[in-house]
Amino acid sequence: MAGVSTKEIRSRIRSMESTKQITKAMEMVAASKLRHAQAQVMDSRPYFQIIYGVIQDIVRTTQSRAFPYMEPQPKPSGRSCYVVIAGDRGLAGGYNSNVLKACLREMAGKRCEVLPIGRKAAEFFRARQIPLMNEEYTFAEGITVGDCFTLSKYLCRAWKAGEFD
C-alpha cells in the first residue's frame, strides 16, 4: 500500500459502496421478476391439470389406437433428442449452469442431439462437439408462441421419421 494516498483509498471505498448499491438493486429486481414468474406458473397449474385430465380421458376412451406417439417406433434409432432452454446472456448464471449440468448428466453414455434454445445452450453444446439438431432458435428472447408450434411440429416430424427415439 506504499504510495497510495488517502484520497485514492476514499475514492475506492466510495466506488465499492456504489457498486454494492447497484448490485443490491439488480438483485431486488431479479427477485421480483422471479416471484412474478413463479406466480404465473402457479396460476397456470389448474389449466394444465384440466388439459392433462382431458388427454387422459381421450386416450382411455378412444377405441382406435391410431396415435403415432403412443406406439413404439418400428425401428428405434438408439438416439435421443434433448430440448435445452437456457439464457442468452450470463445474467442467469446459476440457472444456465444447473440446466446444462443436469442435461450433461442425463446425456452421459447416450447417443444424442440437442435442440438448443438460448445462446448459452448453443455455445455450451457446440464447445463440447455435441450435435445440434437446429440452430435457428439460439436467441431465447425472441421466441414466440408461433415458434413453439413450429418447434413442436419439427420435433414430431423428426420423431416420426425415426431420427430419434
Side-chain angles (χ1 to χ4, degrees), residues 3-165:
V4 178
S5 70
T6 52
K7 182 178 178 183
E8 289 175 355
I9 292 173
R10 280 193 207 111
S11 173
R12 180 76 175 157
I13 289 171
R14 274 195 303 274
S15 172
M16 295 299 290
E17 287 173 352
S18 176
T19 301
K20 183 178 174 183
Q21 285 179 338
I22 292 168
T23 305
K24 185 68 176 171
M26 290 173 65
E27 182 182 343
M28 290 172 59
V29 168
S32 173
K33 286 182 178 182
L34 178 63
R35 278 192 302 276
H36 180 69
Q38 287 173 331
Q40 285 181 318
V41 168
M42 294 306 290
D43 290 347
S44 68
R45 188 159 295 189
Y47 298 107
F48 168 77
Q49 290 170 339
I50 291 169
I51 291 171
Y52 188 73
V54 168
I55 291 171
Q56 284 180 324
D57 287 343
I58 291 170
V59 170
R60 188 174 42 253
T61 58
T62 302
Q63 302 299 322
S64 168
R65 296 288 181 200
F67 299 118
Y69 306 109
M70 304 293 274
E71 302 293 327
Q73 284 184 318
K75 298 179 288 182
S77 67
R79 290 178 31 198
S80 299
C81 176
Y82 291 87
V83 178
V84 182
I85 303 171
D88 292 331
R89 290 169 272 165
L91 297 175
Y95 167 77
N96 290 338
S97 176
N98 290 331
V99 166
L100 298 172
K101 284 179 187 176
C103 191
L104 269 186
R105 276 193 308 273
E106 183 67 30
M107 295 167 63
K110 297 179 185 174
R111 286 183 31 206
C112 52
E113 287 183 58
V114 173
L115 177 61
I117 299 176
R119 198 183 88 220
K120 291 295 182 183
E123 289 173 355
F124 181 84
F125 292 108
R126 200 179 301 122
R128 285 157 182 76
Q129 281 89 40
I130 295 173
L132 302 181
M133 193 169 190
N134 185 331
E135 292 191 52
E136 189 174 333
Y137 299 99
T138 52
F139 288 100
E141 186 176 351
I143 297 283
T144 64
V145 172
D147 293 330
C148 293
F149 284 117
T150 303
L151 280 170
S152 66
K153 286 178 186 176
Y154 175 74
L155 289 168
C156 290
R157 271 195 302 272
W159 184 84
K160 282 182 183 178
E163 293 179 28
F164 57 87
D165 300 340

